[in-house]
Amino acid sequence: MARIASLRCVSCGAEYDPDRVDYTCPACGPRRGTLEVLYNYDALRRRLRPTSFAETGNPSMWRYLPLLPIDGERYIQPLRVGWTPVYRFPELAAELGLEELYVKDDGRNPTASYKDRASSVVVIKAQEKRAPVVTCASTGNAASSLAGFAAATKLETILFVPRTAPQAKVAQLLVYGARVFLVNGSYDIAYDLAAEAAEAFGWYNRSAAVNPYLVEGKKTGAFELAEQLDWKPPDAVLVSVGDGSVISGICKGFAELVRIGLIERAPQVIGVQAEGAAPVAAAFERYDGETVEIRDMEASTVADSICVGAPRDVVKAVRYVHANGGHLVTVPDASILEAIGILARRTGVFAEPAGAAAFAGLRRLAERGDLTGRSAAVMITGNGLKDITSVTKTIGEPVVIEPTLRAIEEHL
Ligand SMILES: *Cc1c(COP(=O)(O)O)cnc(C)c1O
Ligand SMILES: [Zn+2]
C-alpha cells in the first residue's frame, strides 16, 4: 500500500509521483524546488484517533507509521529512535516568567542527535530504492546518524564533513564503518561536493533539503511533543536552525496534527540562529509572503551544527514558519555557551552548542517579555558529549589532589 499521495514542490506547487522523482522539482531546481510529501489526509482523519499511537505499544517514532513515507515495516531498524523524554521544570519556568517550561531531550537518540529521526527514514528509503550506496554532506550529526542507521544494513556509506568537524562526531562516523572524507572547506562547500559525487556515481543522497523524506522523520518530534502533553502542546516551541529542515519538519508535524484533527491549533514555532550564521532569520525578515529571497553568507559560529551560510531548506523553512505564525530570533555565541551551562546545571540536560542555542533563544525572548505567562518547549537537538571543546573553556578546571583527606580539606 502506497502511503504517499504525491510530492509537491514548495515553490511552484507542481505535484510529482514519488516513483518518478527522487529529489527536487525538475522545473525549479534543487535550491527552490524542494518537495513536500503529501498524504491522503481525509482518510487519515477518519482513521486516526488520539489513542491510535499508544495502542501500537511502540516506544519509538515508528508509532506514527501511518504518517510516515515508507511502504512497509520490513526495513525498520532495531535501533530505537525518537519517543525521547519531555521534562517539565516549574521553578526555572517561573524564573523566566513562563507558565510552563518543557525540555525535549533528543540527545537521547541512538547516535545522540535529532538527525536520527531523518536518517532512520532515509536508510529505509535507500533500501526500498535498492541503492547500494548512501551519501551525505554534514556538519557532523547528519553523517554520524546516517552511518549509525546504515551500520546494520548492507548499504555502503560515504560521507563528507568539513575538516573542522568536532572530533567526537568524526569518531562516530569511523566507528560505524563509514567511508569518511574530511573536506578542506566549509559545510557549504562539502554540500556541493556530495551532491556532485552522488550524481556522478549514482549514490543515494541524504543531504539536507534535497531528499524529501528527511523532513518526514523530522516532523515526528512535533507529533511526540503533542502526544506526550496529552494533545495539548505548549504555546511556543523553540528549535535551532541551520539548513532549516528540522524547523520545517516541526512546523509540518503540527500542521498535519491540526489537519487530521488531533490538536486544535499549532504552537508558535520559533527558530533560533546564531548571530554569525543567520541567513534564514534574514530571509524571514525580508519575506513578503510571495517569494523567498535567497542570500547566502559566510557563516561563523561556535555551534558547528548550525554553522550554515547557504541554507538548503530556506524556502521551505521561511514559508512554513510564516504559515505557522512563528518567527526567528538570533543569539550571540557567548549566550549559546552560557546557555549550555545554565541548562546543564538547572535541568541535568547536557546539550551541544546547537542544542543549547534553542534555550539561549528562549532566554532572550523571556528577557524581552515575549513569553510572559505562556508555556514553551525547547527542542534539545544534540547531546553535549558530541562537542566539548568550546564548552570546556567556560566551565573552569577541576582540582588535582594527593589521595588524602588532608588534601581534600585544604580545598574545602
Ligand atoms: C542539524 C542540527 C540542527 C539544525 O537543523 P537544520 O535542519 O540544519 O536547520 C540543530 N541542532 C543540531 C544539534 C543539529 O545537528
Ligand atoms: Zn517547482
Side-chain angles (χ1 to χ4, degrees):
M1 183 205 67
R3 290 205 170 86
I4 304 173
S6 73
L7 300 177
R8 183 173 66 190
C9 173
V10 281
S11 285
C12 74
E15 292 192 25
Y16 298 97
D17 176 344
D19 290 330
R20 304 183 77 95
V21 171
D22 281 331
Y23 300 113
T24 52
C25 171
C28 299
R31 200 69 189 277
R32 297 200 163 271
T34 49
L35 300 175
E36 49 191 356
V37 180
L38 302 182
Y39 301 80
N40 185 341
Y41 293 106
D42 292 334
L44 288 168
R45 191 183 175 101
R46 283 191 299 272
R47 193 175 131 205
L48 294 173
R49 285 161 294 113
T51 52
S52 297
F53 313 105
E55 281 161 10
T56 66
N58 188 337
S60 83
M61 66 173 230
W62 293 108
R63 65 204 274 115
Y64 305 107
L65 190 61
L67 293 156
L68 289 167
I70 64 163
D71 285 336
E73 297 173 45
R74 178 154 66 119
Y75 294 118
I76 294 178
Q77 309 87 5
L79 289 179
R80 193 156 111 189
V81 55
W83 204 242
T84 55
V86 176
Y87 305 119
R88 223 176 117 248
F89 295 102
E91 274 180 34
L92 187 53
E95 279 170 43
L96 292 163
L98 299 169
E99 185 200 22
E100 202 77 78
L101 170 65
Y102 301 101
V103 172
K104 185 160 174 65
D105 185 9
D106 254 59
R108 303 232 333 205
N109 277 305
T111 82
S113 85
Y114 199 94
K115 298 290 194 296
D116 285 350
R117 298 179 182 275
S119 294
S120 63
V121 173
V122 164
V123 163
I124 293 169
K125 282 323 256 187
Q127 291 172 97
E128 286 179 358
K129 290 173 186 289
R130 307 199 182 289
V133 178
V134 279
T135 189
C136 80
S138 165
T139 57
N141 285 338
S144 55
S145 103
L146 181 59
F149 278 83
T153 72
K154 293 198 167 61
L155 291 164
E156 190 184 346
T157 314
I158 302 179
L159 303 168
F160 299 86
V161 297
R163 207 178 68 179
T164 53
Q167 218 184 348
K169 296 183 185 181
V170 177
Q172 281 186 295
L173 310 182
L174 295 168
V175 82
Y176 290 130
R179 182 176 296 195
V180 182
F181 291 110
L182 296 185
V183 180
N184 206 355
S186 64
Y187 164 67
D188 301 314
I189 289 168
Y191 188 100
D192 290 330
L193 181 63
E196 270 178 62
E199 165 105 43
F201 305 120
W203 303 336
Y204 189 55
N205 192 354
R206 181 245 180 263
S207 291
V210 288
N211 191 309
Y213 303 110
L214 296 166
V215 163
E216 297 309 294
K218 289 169 179 175
K219 74 186 180 185
T220 59
F223 292 170
E224 288 177 16
L225 185 67
E227 188 185 356
Q228 287 167 314
L229 299 180
D230 217 4
W231 305 109
K232 291 184 230 21
D235 300 318
V237 175
L238 289 96
V239 66
S240 66
V241 176
D243 274 308
S245 293
V246 170
I247 196 169
S248 296
I250 289 171
C251 289
K252 186 173 192 267
F254 287 126
E256 287 184 344
L257 292 181
V258 172
R259 189 139 178 209
I260 59 180
L262 289 175
I263 60 174
E264 248 162 67
R265 61 186 174 85
Q268 193 182 23
V269 177
I270 301 170
V272 184
Q273 292 212 283
E275 277 176 4
V280 181
F284 188 80
E285 287 304 312
R286 291 193 299 266
Y287 186 55
D288 57 3
E290 296 278 329
T291 312
V292 178
E293 206 190 299
I294 300 176
R295 251 187 254 167
D296 295 340
M297 59 175 284
E298 283 288 324
S300 164
T301 168
V302 62
D304 66 287
S305 297
I306 51 171
C307 189
V308 180
R312 309 294 167 152
D313 236 345
V314 61
V315 176
K316 195 180 278 166
V318 167
R319 283 176 178 265
Y320 281 15
V321 173
H322 184 82
N324 164 277
H327 59 95
L328 285 100
V329 47
T330 62
V331 289
D333 275 3
S335 73
I336 293 176
L337 290 176
E338 190 185 22
I340 298 175
I342 295 170
L343 188 68
R345 289 192 295 274
R346 299 299 306 274
T347 73
V349 175
F350 181 19
E352 69 163 270
F359 184 60
L362 175 102
R363 291 182 71 223
R364 171 119 205 248
L365 295 181
E367 275 160 25
R368 276 196 338 217
D370 286 10
L371 294 171
T372 306
R374 302 170 70 200
S375 58
V378 288
M379 292 286 192
I380 301 303
T381 44
N383 190 287
L385 294 175
K386 277 175 167 279
D387 177 16
I388 59 163
T389 318
S390 28
V391 72
T392 302
K393 294 176 200 135
T394 71
I395 51 185
E397 291 284 327
V399 179
V400 180
I401 55 164
E402 291 307 316
T404 64
L405 283 182
R406 191 65 211 277
I408 300 174
E409 275 169 350
E410 274 169 28
H411 290 284
L412 287 181

